[in-house]
Amino acid sequence: ILISALVIGLAVYFVIKGADVRLVLFLAGLSLSFIALKPWIIFDTFQKVIGDGKIIGPICTAMGFAFVVRETGCDKEMVRLLVQPIKKIKWLLLPGGCIIGFLTNMAITSQTASAAAAVGPVLMPLMIAAGFHPIIAGAALVLGCSAGGNLFNPGEPDIVAIQINTNGIIGDILQRTVAPELIGFLVAVTFFVFFSRKEPEEKIESEAVFEVQEETRPNIIKALLPPLPIILLFMTQPKFNLFPPLLKLYPAGLPVPHAMLISTIIVFLIMNKELSKQTKAFFEGLGFAFTNVISLIITASCFITGLEAVGLLKSLVSSISSSGITGKLISTVFPLMLGILSGSGTAPSVGFSQAVLPEISKLSQTGAIDLGIMGAIGATFGRTMSPVAAVVIFTSVLLNIKPLQIVKRTAPPLLIGLAAMFVYMLFKS
């Protein structure tokens, strides 16, 4: 146990020092398996997960769709449509900007490559022109695009991991996610707006220069395409019984990859120019998802296998399942801390779900789902207040500010929001 604890401690140290999280997870899992004298189980896990269609299908098709939306410019049109009601009302720009980022991240789950890249160039010039300090504007962008809108997307790795490890229904998991995530996010935004009344004292060396956007009406058709998969999946839920013939084929509702592919085809039909470029973008999205998300899930699985081999996983599951408050606290704080250290929300959330939920779901499926949701929100909030998170670094570069200047503004309200979510989950029936 002591040697295993040393391996885990070294893994945390190297993550803090900036080593690739995937490399650290794989080597830590391999080291733990050697301690258990079963090194081959890591390679078996790697082979099993790398071809798991339940993981690859939803995540890769969701990212492929997101890349098509970006290639066709639909993401920016959606942002422009969302900005219209608030662009001329200064007091609405701060909370409204956070909500726009949140809604964008619902449709496009990549915080940096898609959500922040779509929202930033449209929203940041408006906020700065309205007199907001660049640090406040940047913190609003990060808070909106990274604090959990992705958890409402059925192709999100966190949600997929909960579904696979509890055998739950995607629609039910999303439904149970709504209240705790919205409570945490809205409380965080409320306190962020309150704290932002105090102007930052830090000086900016040089202000970012943005191109002036032409005052043209957003393309409504293009703006409505990004949320199409979510709408499809919502409308085909069995409880609504809107499409009985479809439910005969898919009793649990339309599978996520089907919804993503159908939505991609609809975009192709509507945006029927340069189809070859759009097709290339779709498969680039698949590759991006495999490189940046699936790889994390594979290596996290290897690490979990190592923990299981030395017996630490059993102890973790026992400590969580045997105590109510303590178990929920561990489920929230552990992924939170890993998210802050690694700058990733996916790896801690998915790793936690893989490690804990299968055994707990044997006792209570809904209890396991709730713990998975708490872990996902904790990891997501941790990423949002991490100075090494890609979305934070992207925003700091966009506005010529330092990552820590953003984190100082996002961390306090996020911790208050997380506490509100925790209290809700503690006392919900």
Side-chain angles (χ1 to χ4, degrees):
I1 292 176
L2 288 175
I3 297 173
S4 301
L6 178 62
V7 170
I8 296 170
L10 286 172
V12 172
Y13 170 78
F14 283 114
V15 168
I16 295 173
K17 298 298 288 185
D20 189 292
V21 176
R22 294 164 295 190
L23 176 64
V24 173
L25 288 172
F26 180 78
L27 291 180
L30 188 61
S31 300
L32 291 170
S33 70
F34 267 108
I35 294 170
L37 303 179
K38 299 177 181 178
W40 61 85
I41 61 176
I42 298 301
F43 302 104
D44 290 342
T45 298
F46 197 102
Q47 178 179 329
K48 177 184 177 182
V49 180
I50 200 172
D52 191 339
K54 291 181 180 179
I55 297 173
I56 295 171
I59 297 170
C60 285
T61 52
M63 195 60 69
F65 174 75
F67 270 54
V68 171
V69 164
R70 185 179 68 179
E71 174 65 30
T72 55
C74 295
D75 56 347
K76 287 185 172 57
E77 292 301 314
M78 182 182 71
V79 173
R80 292 179 63 215
L81 180 64
L82 292 171
V83 165
Q84 287 294 311
I86 66 169
K87 63 188 300 183
K88 294 182 180 179
I89 309 174
K90 181 180 176 179
W91 64 270
L92 270 180
L93 275 174
L94 200 54
C98 294
I99 292 170
I100 287 170
F102 187 89
L103 294 174
T104 303
N105 196 212
M106 282 177 58
I108 309 168
T109 58
S110 171
Q111 288 77 40
T112 309
S114 298
V119 176
V122 178
L123 184 64
M124 293 302 95
L126 289 174
M127 294 190 69
I128 292 172
F132 287 100
H133 194 285
I135 293 176
I136 299 296
L141 179 64
V142 170
L143 185 60
C145 292
S146 180
N150 56 307
L151 298 180
F152 292 161
N153 190 305
E156 172 62 22
D158 307 58
I159 299 300
V160 172
I162 295 171
Q163 189 271 322
I164 290 173
N165 289 288
T166 62
N167 290 318
I169 298 172
I170 283 284
D172 293 341
I173 295 170
L174 291 173
Q175 185 176 352
R176 296 185 73 85
T177 304
V178 171
E181 168 55 31
L182 283 182
I183 288 171
F185 175 74
L186 293 176
V187 168
V189 170
T190 300
F191 277 90
F192 171 68
V193 173
F194 178 76
F195 293 151
S196 296
R197 295 186 306 168
K198 183 179 179 181
E199 188 80 3
E201 297 177 357
E202 298 97 322
K203 293 182 179 180
I204 306 299
E205 294 181 3
S206 60
E207 292 190 4
V209 178
F210 295 96
E211 294 182 5
V212 178
Q213 301 278 331
E214 291 185 11
E215 286 289 333
T216 56
R217 291 185 178 181
N219 186 315
I220 302 297
I221 294 176
K222 291 176 70 174
L224 294 178
L225 290 176
L228 188 58
I230 299 174
I231 295 170
L232 278 177
L233 287 160
F234 180 78
M235 292 179 63
T236 56
Q237 286 298 303
K239 59 186 175 183
F240 298 125
N241 198 30
L242 296 177
F243 305 97
L246 182 66
L247 293 178
K248 291 182 180 179
L249 289 173
Y250 306 109
L254 192 68
V256 174
H258 291 44
M260 297 298 172
L261 289 171
I262 291 169
S263 299
T264 302
I265 292 170
I266 292 173
V267 174
F268 282 179
L269 292 173
I270 294 174
M271 309 297 299
N272 51 24
K273 295 180 180 179
E274 299 183 322
L275 288 177
S276 294
K277 287 184 67 176
Q278 294 172 29
T279 303
K280 182 180 178 182
F282 177 80
F283 287 103
E284 284 178 350
L286 264 64
F288 181 90
F290 209 98
T291 301
N292 294 279
V293 181
I294 303 297
S295 59
L296 276 172
I297 295 175
I298 293 169
T299 50
S301 299
C302 293
F303 179 63
I304 298 304
T305 299
L307 289 176
E308 186 176 18
V310 296
L312 289 178
L313 183 59
K314 186 176 181 181
S315 300
L316 176 63
V317 172
S318 177
S319 65
I320 291 176
S321 59
S322 61
S323 56
I325 296 177
T326 304
K328 289 182 177 180
L329 188 63
I330 294 172
S331 302
T332 303
V333 175
F334 185 60
L336 169 76
M337 297 304 297
L338 290 178
I340 294 172
L341 293 172
S342 67
S344 169
T346 301
S349 172
V350 172
F352 175 80
S353 293
Q354 291 174 328
V356 173
L357 301 190
E359 288 300 318
I360 293 180
S361 65
K362 294 177 183 178
L363 303 174
S364 170
Q365 186 185 61
T366 56
I369 290 172
D370 285 346
L371 289 178
I373 291 168
M374 294 178 77
I377 295 173
T380 297
F381 280 26
R383 174 191 61 221
T384 310
M385 63 178 84
S386 171
V388 296
V391 66
V392 176
I393 294 172
F394 169 86
T395 303
S396 67
V397 172
L398 182 69
L399 292 166
N400 290 330
I401 55 181
K402 297 177 181 178
L404 277 174
Q405 292 176 318
I406 295 174
V407 170
K408 287 178 182 178
R409 288 283 167 169
T410 58
L414 281 168
L415 290 173
I416 296 171
L418 194 68
M421 181 278 296
F422 179 79
V423 170
Y424 168 79
M425 294 297 283
L426 199 60
F427 293 103
K428 68 172 288 192
S429 57

